[in-house]
Amino acid sequence: KLFRHSMARVGELWVYPVKGCRGVRVHSAKVTESGFELDRLFCVIDLDGGVVAVREAVSKRKLPALATIETTLLDDDAVLELSAPGMNALRVPTTVPADDAEEESVVVEASGRSTTASDDGGWKLGELHASIVGCATAWLTEYLNRAGGKRTQTRYALARSARPLRLEEYPPIFPIIAKAASDTSYAARLAGNARRFADFAPFLVVNRASAEALSALCGTDYPIGSFRGNIVVYGATAWAEEEWGRVAFSSAEGEHKLELSKIKECPRCTVPCRDEVTGNFLFSEEKLKLWKVLKAKFPRKADDPEWGSWAGVFFGVYFGHGGRDVGTIIREGDALQALELRKWDAHLSRTWPSGHLVMLQLGALGLLLALAAGVLALWPTLSAQLVGGEV
């Protein structure tokens, strides 16, 4: 089984300096404790709470106009440039400059209060300490109030992460997190991993062959960029990434670089249903076609109980490095080798099954009960024959 994964390689590398905005394709990326360097280092926040909950990291789920902001890294990644239609380009430092050490501090919520409708007000994974990049407030406020399509006017700011959020600090709001308290294998998935303004984990791996298979199901090319993966794998078979329990990256010369372990397959929200450049839905007449197609093809994947309220169709896989191999440089063209396989539904065989498995088990139980009833009904006749010596 491992042999069919042996030709996989890193085809593309992406970092997304500002959560929700356009990504930057890079030829090499440095591994940090929270994923690739500069990935989701910044996010946009609503200072007044006019459109999004106050201090919540704004995602493209709530503000699709973020997709129209282009990000560019300059001066050896020391400067981030933001550009948008009708706006002069804005440049900000990626680190706190020495002459501006008094940037206003802010605590940003890693939550979905503004995007998830539920009785408890959505989900919350914790808080991240950050600083507000003062020079970006007027720029973002002017542009997003104009392009955001919202009736309410508010003040937007750019927040720079001061330290990452450790996955071990997550509250047990999803079963996969809660299991870590009693199951060492689940605790190991979170241990040593951290992220900044990404939704859940430090690395998201997507597979080009899976995107091609999805395109065939949709009847048109589905842009893999809409899935916003950090590592795009070439050379693997479709959906193979969902079986990778542990993978290793190495150079063309065979030098070991990085080892990643699967955390969990990524359930998809409405973001991959949108164009990565315009923010518009890819299929205007069937906005959630991605969900419909994947659910029809893989119905069991749309109802994974370990995700709880996040359960839904998934595409791509969250991986973590456990805090190891920090400082390593990953390059496009590096080889990927599957060291261990673990099917996406392995956990379902150890827990109370749902959906089709329940129906199958109930059917089998019904058949056994019917057979037992038949034997009991025939027992008087069989008993008489045995006593009479006829058998």
Side-chain angles (χ1 to χ4, degrees):
K1 279 190 174 182
L2 289 172
F3 177 76
R4 65 191 181 96
H5 302 273
S6 61
M7 299 302 291
R9 68 185 189 281
V10 177
E12 301 173 25
L13 291 169
W14 289 83
V15 295
Y16 303 86
V18 183
K19 179 179 180 67
C21 297
R22 296 180 194 172
V24 178
R25 183 176 178 178
V26 295
H27 298 299
S28 63
K30 184 178 180 179
V31 177
T32 72
E33 62 176 330
S34 57
F36 287 145
E37 188 173 44
L38 302 179
D39 187 51
R40 276 84 170 192
L41 176 63
F42 298 89
C43 76
V44 175
I45 60 173
D46 184 339
L47 293 175
D48 301 327
V51 173
V52 179
V54 176
R55 299 187 297 108
E56 181 176 279
V58 184
S59 77
K60 198 160 54 178
R61 290 182 291 272
K62 184 65 176 181
L63 199 61
L66 290 174
T68 61
I69 298 179
E70 184 177 1
T71 62
T72 306
L73 294 171
L74 305 171
D75 297 341
D76 293 328
D77 299 343
V79 174
L80 169 67
E81 182 179 86
L82 304 180
S83 57
M87 299 292 293
N88 293 324
L90 173 71
R91 294 185 177 184
V92 300
T94 54
T95 59
V96 179
D99 59 351
D100 196 11
E102 299 301 321
E103 285 189 346
E104 180 183 353
S105 297
V106 63
V107 177
V108 178
E109 284 196 357
S111 62
R113 290 190 294 155
S114 302
T115 56
T116 305
S118 64
D119 294 336
D120 61 0
W123 50 269
K124 298 180 182 179
L125 283 173
E127 297 179 333
L128 291 95
H129 292 274
S131 59
I132 293 178
V133 183
C135 64
T137 299
W139 193 95
L140 287 170
T141 298
E142 177 185 346
Y143 180 69
L144 290 175
N145 276 331
R146 170 163 52 86
K150 307 293 183 181
R151 293 181 179 179
T152 303
Q153 299 288 291
T154 193
R155 289 183 304 141
Y156 293 101
L158 186 67
R160 181 196 295 107
S161 171
R163 70 171 183 85
L165 175 65
R166 304 189 68 80
L167 273 58
E168 295 157 291
E169 299 174 11
Y170 284 170
I173 60 172
F174 304 132
I176 185 177
I177 303 173
K179 286 183 176 182
S182 57
D183 189 323
T184 56
S185 66
Y186 281 83
R189 299 190 195 188
L190 306 181
N193 288 306
R195 52 86 164 179
R196 294 190 183 269
F197 293 120
D199 273 351
F200 191 80
F203 299 96
L204 178 60
V205 175
V206 297
N207 179 0
R208 184 172 67 172
S210 298
E212 292 171 347
L214 174 62
S215 296
L217 293 173
C218 291
T220 186
D221 288 341
Y222 207 100
I224 196 169
S226 291
F227 295 104
R228 296 175 69 81
N230 299 112
I231 302 173
V232 182
V233 176
Y234 290 4
T237 57
W239 318 116
E241 70 279 13
E242 296 173 1
E243 296 185 15
W244 296 339
R246 194 160 53 92
V247 297
F249 297 84
S250 59
S251 66
E253 295 74 27
E255 175 192 2
H256 170 79
K257 291 190 170 185
L258 174 67
E259 186 174 307
L260 298 179
S261 296
K262 179 198 284 190
I263 296 177
K264 187 69 178 173
E265 295 77 19
C266 178
R268 307 314 306 220
C269 61
T270 59
V271 169
C273 299
R274 294 181 177 274
D275 185 271
E276 179 66 358
V277 174
T278 66
N280 297 327
F281 281 105
L282 291 165
F283 302 96
S284 58
E285 297 181 358
E286 196 171 3
K287 296 179 179 179
L288 303 182
K289 185 173 183 177
L290 170 70
W291 293 5
K292 179 180 179 180
V293 168
L294 287 178
K295 190 171 185 177
K297 181 65 175 178
F298 308 108
R300 291 181 65 221
K301 294 180 181 180
D303 189 29
D304 189 333
E306 286 193 340
W307 273 123
S309 62
W310 264 18
V313 298
F314 52 73
F315 188 100
V317 182
Y318 285 131
F319 278 87
H321 60 340
R324 298 179 295 272
D325 298 317
V326 170
T328 298
I329 305 297
I330 301 300
R331 303 182 187 281
E332 291 183 346
D334 283 347
L336 181 152
Q337 180 183 5
L339 303 178
E340 178 184 314
L341 300 182
R342 185 174 77 235
K343 290 188 176 181
W344 77 267
D345 59 352
H347 60 287
L348 295 179
S349 63
R350 296 181 295 162
T351 59
W352 179 254
S354 60
H356 299 310
L357 287 179
V358 170
M359 297 301 294
L360 288 172
Q361 289 196 345
L362 289 176
L365 179 61
L367 179 60
L368 288 174
L369 291 174
L371 290 173
V375 171
L376 289 174
L378 293 173
W379 180 248
T381 302
L382 292 173
S383 179
Q385 291 176 342
L386 288 170
V387 172
E390 295 181 14
V391 177

